Each structure stands twice: as structure tokens, then as C-alpha cells.
Amino acid sequence: MNPSFAIPRRRVLLGAALAAALWRPASALDRPQGRVVLTIGGLIGEKNAAARAEFDMAMLAALPQHSFSTRTPWYPAARKFTGPLLRDVLAAVGAKGQTLRAVALNDYKVTLPVEDCKRYPVVLARLMDDQPMPVRDKGPLFIIYPFDSDEALRSERYYSRSAWQLKHIEVE
Amino acid sequence: MEQPAAPGVAAAEGGEHPAGPGRWLSLIGLVLVLAFAGVAWVQSRALGLLNDTVSYQGDSLVWSFYQLEAETLRLRQVLDDLADHPQASGLEAVRDRYELFVSRISLIDPHRTRAVLSDLPRQAEVLAALQAFVQHADPLLAEGEGGARAGDARVWHDLVHRLDWLAAPMRELALQVNQAVGEQVTRRNEAVRLQNRLAIGLTVFQSLLTLAFAIIVMRQIRALHQRHHRLEQLAQHLQEARADAEQASRAKSAFLANMSHELRTPFNGLLGMLSLLEATPLEAQQRAHLATARESGRHLLALLNDVLDISTLESGRLEVHPHDVDLRGLVHDVAALMGTHARAKGLPLHCEVAPEVPQTLRADGKRLKQILFNLLGNAIKFTPGGEVRLEVAVRPAAGGAPERLALQVSDTGIGMDAATLARLFQRFSQGDASIQRRYGGTGLGLEISRSLARLMGGDIEVDSAPGQGSRFTVTIALERVQAPAEAAPPPSTAPVPAALSAEVLVTDDHPVNRSLMQAILQHLGHRVHLCENGAEAVEWLRQHRCDLVLMDVHMPVMDGLAATRAIRALPPPACDVPVIALTADAFDAARQRALEAGMNDFITKPVQVPVVVEALRRFVPRLAAAEDSSPRATQPVLQPEPGPAPGPGPTPTVAVSAAVPAFMPVSSPASSPMITSPAPAAPRPRLRVRRGEIAEWLDLEAIAEICVTVGLEGYRSLLAGLLAESSPALDELLRALDPAADPAAIRGAAHKFKGAVASLGLKRLAATAKAWELASAEAPLEAGQREQAAQALRDGFQHTRALCLRVGYLLA
């Protein structure tokens, strides 16, 4: 358990207590209030739906946010990406597996090792240039590696792991 | 040689390719560098190609086009479903699919494809059609008021229709992209293949160059090896040649030594004959010629002696034999003798010995004397007027140099300029040509002297200026010896009583040596028989008995070794006689040969009286016994008493004894060096001596040689025995000349007398005796002639005696 995670989770718990504690038992993971944008299944400890964890944008925005600009193969210029670190998201659901299977809206599937999230600040981007990403522009969620920080990342291996239009992560 | 940087390379190749391998090496090196550069360029190109590939594979283009086509089909499917079954969920599905469809359009945007593919003919057209579709569909699918409703089947059918219309161009575009990418991949593969081939070619080239380089280097190394081998062979040949040359040089030196040794004997004869001639009545012209001839002969003899020493020097046999030497006595002897020469020229000789000079030291006294004789002789020779000085001092140890004895000979003579000094020690060089003409000499003496000084651990230094005289300083290593508290008394050289007198057989082919040995032995009171070669000696021993044989080793007819073997083969008791070798050959090998031949001992020439005495004591037992029972109390006056021994402290440095001729200047450090004028210390006959008369009557060089051998005291003893007021030798001759005597005896007596006086350097007297000897050999002398001869001999005897008294060889 990453120690830096302690404070944000406490904040999440406090918010949950203020908003919904009166009529629902306290849970480690809130139920999504808005439209579900990400589901996480597989080997996870925290669930808020049947056998899986569901997130809406607000829940993701409530996690600690991380930003960086990087060039990518998909845009002619460098873009700024903002969102929670993937490892924070995995921590929020108590993921225990070694690999992640990311599934996009068009059923694109790619496997990436959990190790990547520990070694690099991999971001689950929800904002591009501080704007929410629509589906037609690779939204709503985009796994982004910090390509500009390490030459090793500028290869087909990591470009292919950068799943966009992400909708589901299966922890295996 | 064109390439000084690589001379070995050029030399190894010889003259045909003076610059071959060196230039090839440079060329190959240059090409290698170029090849490396080419390989590096190809590799960097390959890396660039790989990076290009990576970036455009970032998202596979073909895959993008395929996805777009797939999304189009899926959208058409949901639109078709919605048109057939209008319901809200169907509209929602259409909206989601539509968004995905639109997101795929951006993937085929030319900005992504252009980097890799040239513009595709249908791309812009298809893209425009897609964008037109999106523009048309966006408002219809917008949520809220503007959008179409699920039930608007006509709208959905229209959209399906439009999508169908788009399908054909999109498929064509996908095919085009597929083909273009394939083309691109092929081109890239070809480029990679080409570069691989280039790299392989370059690598092969590089390998070949490296191989060539290695071969050349190998050749160089082999050439170097061969050269090294040749040099080693050359060095070996040179060494052999050097050994041969040294062998030849030694042989030459040995030959020279033998020759000069052999030549001395006839020269002595020649000089003797000339002296004899001089004694006959001659015209003035003849006398002058004779004098010139004799002078030439003497010069030749001196030259011969020097050549002998030089040969010995060159053959590496010049040796010094250090023993305990009475240094003060030695200096004293030399000064006394050379003082005579100086005096003959009217020069005073000063001698100073510093108080710190030890009485006794370890050195080769004979060689030291030789050096001093040479230097003093030179000084006297080259000094027309003024004085000659001999100073002996100790140079204390300083700056790592050991303590040395310094003997300085200075004169007030003609001196030398720098050029002369520079070649002073060069063989046969003596000043300049004019000096040589004027003064004669070989110039060998200095070289020998210096070699001797160096052998004695020192050197000779010279300091001179023209007209200012010269100063030669001999230094030798000073080896102090503990003066024995009770010095063993030297063997008595006094004559033994007649009862003890021994019969000694002397065998020597050299008349002077025979005479000298005879003089020494007779003086010691012994009877002597002389033989000229080994055969004679063996023959004599068959008939006679004797107590001791002194045998020269090198002789004509039969040499000493063969003679000894013959003697040992005689029947007893003749075979038991002790035989002692007399030889100038002082090497161990010669000694060994002598002992092997059956000799009992070995006396080296020049013989020294004490050595002879000692030998007699050892081999004639009754002499030793007599000596022990009757010690020195009975010594006759002929043994000169030594002067007061200089004790420690500031005693005068040179012992002034009655034995020192009074004209020899003696200085002491206490008083300033003074020159004593020739004032007789004892009454002497008043004799007017003509200038040059002493040299005319006395052979000063021969006397010097004898003194070197037996010491001044020894010489005095010998002379005193011969020139006694009533001389037995002269009396014998005079008896033979008596008119009543047998004329046949005259020749023998004259010969004997002549030998005795000649061997002691009394040359005028010897010449007179020889003249009468010859005259009597031609025809028996008349009575008048006998009287004339007796008178001439008496006069010569008296005059010689007077001269010897005058110069101090005889003591009144």
C-alpha cells in the first residue's frame, strides 16, 4: 500500500460520509453517482458493484491528479494530459494481480504489466489540455506513459499499451 | 634512406625498396581508417532507418484504415437496426457507435500518413466525403431538440445509404494504403539489405586490410629477427677477430721482448769493441767517427731497453711486485746516484723528504727507482743551468681520494709549451723535433713511467711552461706498513772466511752477467767457476764438484732446463748439487717449468746481493751454520754502517750518514732547504776533474743499473773490493805482465780483470784491459810492451780509483 495514498482515501471517505452516510453503510469505495466511465474487474479487493469496481468521472477527479506534457504519435504537437496515476486507481480498488488487460470502447484489448505503473508515472488521463476528452477525440479515458521522459518509452511496445477510449481494466 | 622514422624497415628491405613497407603500412593504415569510417556511417544509417520505422509504426496505418472501415460497418449495422426497430436504446447505440466512428476518421488524417506515405490519390477525396458525412450526421445525432428521433426511419435509411456510398472509395483507399505500405516496407527492406551488404563488404575489406597489416608486421618482425641474428653473428665474428688481433699483438710484443733481449747481448759486444777501438792509437778524425758510432750504439741500446719495457707493457706483463720498501733509503740512493750525474753537468740536486713521509711503505721499490731515474735523468738532460729538485711529501686523503705519496721532480730547464705537454706521454714523442735532435732519447721512458705509476695506484702530473722549467709529480698509493719493531737484519754481505768459502758454478751466456755474478760471489768470499752454456756446465760437473750451481735459463747450445735435467741424470754425487735458476722471466709458469726440470729455486734478474746470500745460506748448509754461530761481530769494514735511524718526531728527514756523498744536498724541514756546495766532508785526494771526464771513465748508466740491482751500498762494497789499495785482481794481472811470467797467462788475466771492472761500470779501465787482452791474443807481448801495459793499467786503476773517491762511490 503506497503511503501517499492514505490522505486522499481519507478525503474520499470524508466526502462519502457527508454525502451519503445517512442512508447507506460506509463502504471503502463509493458507488458512482454519474455515468460510469471505467470498470475494473478481476483480482481486486474493493468493489462497489457485482464483482467489479465502477468509477464515474467525479470519482476519478477526486483522486490525486497528475499532469505532464508529452509528444505522442497521435497528435502532431505535444499535448498536456491530466488525470490520476494509474497506480492510485489500482490502489483504490485493491488490485492484486501482475498484469492488466485494458479494454477500449471498440473492444481493442491490450495487456500491460502492473510493473509499468510502479516504474513510470503512468497517468489515466481524463483531461487533455485541461479539457475533458470526448469519445470522438480518444476520450473519455486515455492511458498515457510519460514518453518524453525516457527514450525507452518511445517504442511500439509502449505506444500499443497506451489504450485510448478506455472503458475497462481487468486485473489478472 | 627516405624514412628516417623507420630506418629498420628500410634497412631490412635492402636497397631495392627503400620506402616499400613503410609506405604500404601508412597507406593501409589510412584505408583502414576510411573503412572504419564507412562502417560507422552504414551503422548510423541503419539506426536512423530503424528509428524511422519505429515512429511510423507508432500506430499501424493499415490497421487504422481497417478500423475505420470496421467502425463504418458497425455504424451501418446499428443504423440499419434502428431503422427496422425504432427504439431509444437503439438510438443510444447509434450515438455511441457514431462517436467511435468519428474518432477513427482522425487516424487517417494526412498529417500522420504523409510522414510515411506519399499522398494517396483517393485520400483527400475520401476524407472530404467522410467529413461531409460527419457534418450531415452530427446535427441528426445530437442529443436534445435538434436531433432526429428514433422513429425517423427515413433519416436512418438515408444515413445507411450514405455510408454504403462511402464504402467503395474507403475500400479502395484501404487497398491503396495497403499497397503503399507494402511498397514502403519493401523499399525499406531493400535499403536495409543494401546496407547490410555494404556493411558486410566493408567488414570483409576491413578484415583483408587487417590481414595485410598483420602480414606486413609479421614480415617486419621476421626481418628484425634476422637482423638481430646477423648482428649477433657479426658481434661474434668481431669478438673472434678481436681475440685474434689481441693474440697477434701479444705475439708481436713477446717477439719484441725476446728480440730486444737478444739484441742487447750483441750490442754490449759492439759497444765493447768500439771502446776497445777507442783505446788504440787513432787519428782525430777516426776518433770523432768512433765517438759518433759509440754514441749511436748507446742510443740504440737505450732505445732497445725502452722497447723491451714497452713490449712488456703491451703484452700486459708489466707488473709491480710490492714489498716493504725503505723509502727514505731508496730516495737517498737515487739522489746520491743522480747527484753524480747532475754534478757532472754542474747542476746541484736538492732533495727534500717531508717529515710525515714514512720510513717504510709497501711498494715496488725497483719500479719506483726506475721512475725516479727517468724523471731525474730527463730533468738533468733538459736543464742547461740552474738546479734540479726532488721533493717527497704525503698528500692527505681528500674528497674520496686515498692518501698518496707524491714525489716531485722539478727543474729550471727549458720547459715545455702546451702543445708539447699535450703529447708528452705519447709514444716516441719528445718535445718537438728540434728538441729530439738536440737532446736525443726515445720518449718511451715517460710512457713507461706513467704506466708504472698507474699500476701503483697513482699517476704522473706535469706542470711546465717554456723557459720556466718543468715539474713532474709522481703520485702512488701510499700503503703504510708497520715498521717491524725488530727488523730482521739483512743477510750479511760480508765475505765469508776462506774456510767456509763455497765453490759456485755460474752458467750464463751473457758476459756482463757472468762478470757481475763473479764479482758478487767473489766479493762474498766464494770461489767461482764460469760456464757459457748448459752443455759446458754439465761437462764441468762430470769432472768437478761444487756446492751450488747458478744457472741461466735461456742460453744457446743447451738451455738451463735441459742442463738441469742432464745434471740430475749424472751419477751421484754430481746429480745432487743444488741448482738455482737465474732468469729475467719472473712468471709463475716459468718458475713452475724450472722446478719441474729439477731446479731447487729461482732467482730473478737483475740479481740482488741479499737474495744471492740468502740462497747460498739455504743451499750450502755450512754457511748457515757458521752465520748462526758467529754473528755479525766479525763483519769487516766493507759492510757500511747504516746512518742514525730517523726516529719519530721532527728529526731530519734524510739520514745524513757517512755513506752519503757530501756533495749531495741534504735538507731538513727545520731549516730552509739549503744547497750545500760541494764541500768535502772527509779528506779527499785533490784531483782536478775535467768537465765530462767522469762520464768518460765511468759508465754512469751501467752503474745506475747496478745500483738499482744491489743498492748504492752494495755497489760501494763491490767497488771497494775491486779497487782496494792492493787489489788482488790488479795484482794478478800485473803478475801475469811480469816479464818473468808466462806470456800465455796474460790474456786470461786481462780478460778476467776486464770482466770484473766492466761489470762495475769502470769502462775506461775495462777498455784498457781489453785492448791489452786483444793485443796479447794477436802476438805474445814483448817485455817493453808488458811494462807499458802494466803502467797503463796502474795509471788507469789509480785514476779510476781517484774519480770514484771523488764522486763518492769509494769511501776514503
Side-chain angles (χ1 to χ4, degrees):
Chain A
M1 189 66 77
N2 193 328
S4 66
F5 182 70
I7 297 168
R9 194 171 72 161
R10 199 179 301 142
R11 197 185 295 159
V12 170
L13 291 175
L14 279 172
L18 287 171
L22 291 177
W23 53 278
R24 212 166 49 188
S27 161
L29 202 60
D30 285 338
R31 287 189 171 279
Q33 299 301 303
R35 184 178 169 186
V36 172
V37 292
L38 177 67
T39 58
I40 301 180
L43 305 172
I44 56 175
E46 306 285 341
K47 293 162 187 168
N48 55 9
R52 62 188 188 185
E54 293 181 344
F55 289 88
D56 59 12
M57 258 327 165
M59 289 166 71
L60 292 173
L63 290 168
Q65 299 297 296
H66 199 86
S67 286
F68 56 76
S69 280
T70 183
R71 287 175 292 132
T72 65
W74 306 283
Y75 301 101
R79 308 296 287 263
K80 178 187 175 189
F81 297 92
T82 307
L85 290 174
L86 185 55
R87 60 176 171 242
D88 287 348
V89 176
L90 293 176
V93 298
K96 298 179 186 73
Q98 292 304 311
T99 55
L100 305 175
R101 181 179 294 271
V103 184
L105 289 174
N106 68 339
D107 297 330
Y108 172 83
K109 292 187 182 70
V110 71
T111 304
L112 58 147
V114 174
E115 179 66 26
D116 277 6
C117 310
K118 293 176 183 167
R119 192 189 299 172
Y120 304 107
V122 182
V123 160
L124 189 60
R126 54 181 193 88
L127 299 177
M128 183 164 66
D129 292 338
D130 300 324
Q131 296 296 316
M133 291 186 281
V135 171
R136 66 171 63 187
D137 202 3
K138 303 184 179 60
L141 295 172
F142 199 159
I143 293 175
I144 285 288
Y145 284 76
F147 299 108
D148 282 354
S149 70
D150 192 337
E151 192 184 8
L153 290 175
R154 291 195 289 278
S155 73
E156 181 59 23
R157 174 189 292 165
Y158 293 100
Y159 291 143
S160 68
R161 287 175 186 175
S162 299
W164 41 281
Q165 290 178 341
L166 181 71
K167 69 171 180 186
H168 178 75
I169 295 175
E170 192 72 14
V171 183
E172 294 172 342
Chain B
M1 209 144 304
E2 285 185 54
Q3 287 183 308
V9 171
E13 282 299 304
E16 300 166 47
H17 311 290
R23 185 159 292 173
W24 275 114
L25 276 181
S26 320
L27 197 63
I28 286 183
L30 184 70
V31 175
L32 261 180
V33 169
L34 288 178
F36 282 129
V39 169
W41 179 76
V42 168
Q43 301 286 7
S44 73
R45 284 282 301 154
L47 190 64
L49 214 61
L50 189 67
N51 286 342
D52 285 354
T53 310
V54 166
S55 61
Y56 86 70
Q57 279 182 341
D59 212 5
S60 170
L61 275 173
V62 178
W63 172 243
S64 301
F65 279 85
Y66 163 75
Q67 280 191 317
L68 176 61
E69 209 177 348
E71 287 302 330
T72 310
L73 288 176
R74 283 178 188 154
L75 179 59
R76 185 188 179 280
Q77 181 67 48
V78 290
L79 280 171
D80 221 16
D81 285 355
L82 186 60
D84 292 348
H85 312 284
Q87 48 188 284
S89 65
L91 182 57
E92 203 55 35
V94 165
R95 281 185 182 135
D96 286 350
R97 276 292 148 200
Y98 178 70
E99 284 300 312
L100 288 172
F101 165 75
V102 173
S103 75
R104 302 293 147 177
I105 293 174
S106 70
L107 291 181
I108 64 163
D109 192 276
H111 86 260
R112 293 189 66 221
T113 60
R114 199 172 291 136
V116 182
L117 302 171
S118 48
D119 282 342
L120 297 166
R122 303 299 297 269
Q123 191 172 11
E125 183 192 323
V126 171
L127 207 54
L130 284 168
Q131 276 157 359
F133 177 82
V134 170
Q135 269 180 351
H136 175 76
D138 268 356
L140 295 174
L141 289 171
E143 289 181 60
E145 293 300 309
R149 285 184 304 276
D152 293 343
R154 197 178 46 83
V155 172
W156 309 132
H157 276 300
D158 176 56
L159 285 178
V160 167
H161 181 71
R162 283 170 187 263
L163 282 178
D164 283 345
W165 186 78
L166 273 171
M170 277 176 62
R171 171 143 300 266
E172 200 174 333
L173 183 62
L175 286 173
Q176 276 183 2
V177 167
N178 196 26
Q179 282 168 4
V181 168
E183 189 72 17
Q184 180 70 22
V185 167
T186 306
R187 273 205 302 277
R188 198 187 71 230
N189 285 351
E190 277 171 357
V192 168
R193 216 171 286 132
L194 178 67
Q195 278 166 10
N196 277 350
R197 282 202 199 100
L198 266 177
I200 289 171
L202 280 172
T203 305
V204 168
F205 184 52
Q206 207 176 319
S207 306
L208 287 177
L209 284 177
T210 310
L211 195 64
F213 198 79
I215 288 171
I216 290 181
V217 168
M218 288 283 289
R219 277 188 58 191
Q220 292 307 308
I221 289 174
R222 210 164 47 225
L224 273 177
H225 264 290
Q226 284 169 351
R227 239 165 68 84
H228 182 66
H229 185 63
R230 279 202 299 273
L231 278 176
E232 270 182 350
Q233 278 183 329
L234 185 64
Q236 199 182 340
H237 290 157
L238 285 176
Q239 240 165 2
E240 285 165 9
R242 188 180 148 202
D244 287 351
E246 277 174 356
Q247 178 61 38
S249 170
R250 272 197 299 276
K252 181 205 75 180
S253 297
F255 170 77
L256 273 179
N258 288 337
M259 282 309 289
S260 52
H261 198 78
E262 292 299 317
L263 283 171
R264 270 207 284 194
T265 308
F267 257 119
N268 275 327
L270 189 65
L271 290 175
M273 292 308 281
L274 288 176
S275 298
L276 193 63
L277 258 184
E278 213 176 14
T280 59
L282 291 172
E283 292 172 16
Q285 184 71 32
Q286 287 173 321
R287 193 166 292 282
H289 289 170
L290 200 57
T292 310
R294 200 184 51 178
E295 200 46 53
S296 304
R298 292 166 54 81
H299 186 95
L300 264 175
L301 189 58
L303 178 64
L304 219 49
N305 286 338
D306 283 350
V307 168
L308 177 62
D309 263 350
I310 283 290
S311 316
T312 318
L313 189 69
E314 279 194 343
S315 55
R317 291 184 308 182
L318 193 66
E319 286 164 356
V320 290
H321 302 284
H323 52 268
D324 292 358
V325 173
D326 173 7
L327 178 70
R328 287 167 184 270
L330 182 146
V331 170
H332 180 178
D333 286 355
V334 171
L337 193 75
M338 294 313 286
T340 310
H341 289 239
R343 184 168 164 67
K345 218 181 157 184
L347 294 170
L349 171 66
H350 303 244
C351 178
E352 280 178 50
V353 181
E356 69 271 18
V357 173
Q359 175 74 25
T360 314
L361 58 81
R362 193 163 176 77
D364 186 332
K366 180 173 160 274
R367 294 302 195 179
L368 196 53
K369 272 185 189 176
Q370 187 179 351
I371 296 173
L372 286 177
F373 279 136
N374 180 264
L375 294 182
L376 283 168
N378 278 348
I380 293 167
K381 190 198 275 185
F382 294 114
T383 305
E387 59 173 27
V388 176
R389 182 175 282 277
L390 169 62
E391 287 157 305
V392 186
V394 171
R395 278 192 189 170
E403 191 182 35
R404 282 160 182 239
L405 181 73
L407 304 114
Q408 185 172 294
V409 175
S410 47
D411 62 55
T412 56
I414 58 173
M416 290 170 282
D417 57 20
T420 310
L421 276 176
R423 54 173 198 276
L424 190 61
F425 290 100
Q426 282 172 21
R427 192 168 299 180
F428 301 114
S429 112
Q430 184 198 52
D432 57 28
S434 69
I435 286 180
Q436 189 146 11
R437 276 196 300 277
R438 211 169 123 203
Y439 294 96
T442 60
L444 291 176
L446 271 179
E447 187 194 344
I448 295 163
S449 295
R450 189 170 65 168
S451 299
L452 288 173
R454 286 179 176 172
L455 278 176
M456 292 192 250
D459 206 345
I460 295 184
E461 298 155 16
V462 194
D463 185 14
S464 182
Q468 305 291 309
S470 306
R471 190 167 71 236
F472 287 77
T473 309
V474 185
T475 55
I476 61 167
L478 177 53
E479 227 181 302
R480 292 175 186 272
V481 289
Q482 290 294 328
E486 186 84 18
S492 164
T493 54
V496 296
L500 292 174
S501 129
E503 177 78 30
V504 181
L505 171 64
V506 173
T507 309
D508 196 314
D509 63 318
H510 197 301
V512 172
N513 288 341
R514 280 201 303 277
S515 303
L516 186 62
M517 285 311 298
Q518 185 180 25
I520 291 171
L521 289 166
Q522 282 179 346
H523 161 68
L524 291 170
H526 300 292
R527 296 184 302 280
V528 181
H529 183 80
L530 299 174
C531 286
E532 292 188 13
N533 60 57
E536 248 178 55
V538 175
E539 199 49 46
W540 188 83
L541 278 170
R542 282 185 204 280
Q543 315 292 331
H544 305 84
R545 296 196 54 177
C546 72
D547 296 302
L548 183 70
V549 177
L550 294 176
M551 177 86 74
D552 188 13
V553 175
H554 302 287
M555 285 180 295
V557 184
M558 180 187 275
D559 70 16
L561 302 178
T564 306
R565 280 189 282 267
I567 291 167
R568 295 290 177 239
L570 290 175
C575 62
D576 295 327
V577 67
V579 179
I580 296 178
L582 283 176
T583 178
D585 213 352
F587 299 105
D588 282 344
R591 179 186 295 265
Q592 196 58 38
R593 277 200 303 278
L595 295 179
E596 278 166 9
M599 291 177 162
N600 299 73
D601 203 359
F602 192 93
I603 292 179
T604 54
K605 289 176 181 176
V607 293
Q608 292 172 296
V609 176
V611 175
V612 176
V613 172
E614 181 58 32
L616 283 162
R617 268 169 48 86
R618 277 176 59 202
F619 291 101
V620 185
R622 66 174 183 276
L623 291 176
E627 179 108 352
D628 292 344
S629 58
S630 66
R632 308 161 65 88
T634 56
Q635 281 175 15
V637 290
L638 283 175
Q639 170 68 22
E641 288 299 320
T651 48
T653 53
V654 172
V656 181
S657 79
V660 181
F663 59 78
M664 190 190 119
V666 176
S667 28
S668 86
S671 61
S672 63
M674 47 145 209
I675 306 161
T676 52
S677 59
R684 293 180 181 277
R686 302 304 301 172
L687 177 73
R688 289 189 66 84
V689 179
R690 267 190 303 113
R691 189 179 169 85
E693 194 180 358
I694 290 175
E696 217 171 274
W697 280 77
L698 303 177
D699 186 340
L700 293 173
E701 281 183 27
I703 291 171
E705 238 176 74
I706 297 165
C707 286
V708 168
T709 307
V710 302
L712 183 61
E713 307 304 340
Y715 180 68
R716 280 180 179 157
S717 300
L718 287 170
L719 205 59
L722 190 68
L723 296 182
E725 290 281 8
S726 57
S727 164
L730 181 65
D731 288 352
E732 191 188 345
L733 179 53
L734 292 177
R735 273 198 302 279
L737 286 169
D738 190 273
D742 176 13
I746 294 174
R747 190 180 163 204
H751 179 85
K752 196 174 169 190
F753 181 77
K754 175 210 70 183
V757 297
S759 70
L760 292 183
L762 312 177
K763 60 178 178 180
R764 193 62 174 265
L765 190 56
T768 310
K770 190 163 189 175
W772 289 111
E773 178 196 350
L774 285 178
S776 68
E778 280 169 15
L781 298 181
E782 301 297 324
Q785 282 178 308
R786 292 187 186 196
E787 225 163 276
Q788 193 187 336
Q791 191 55 46
L793 285 166
R794 265 196 292 271
D795 289 351
F797 186 86
Q798 289 308 328
H799 195 72
T800 302
R801 198 164 181 282
L803 281 174
C804 288
L805 279 166
R806 187 74 179 77
V807 298
Y809 291 147
L810 271 184
L811 303 177

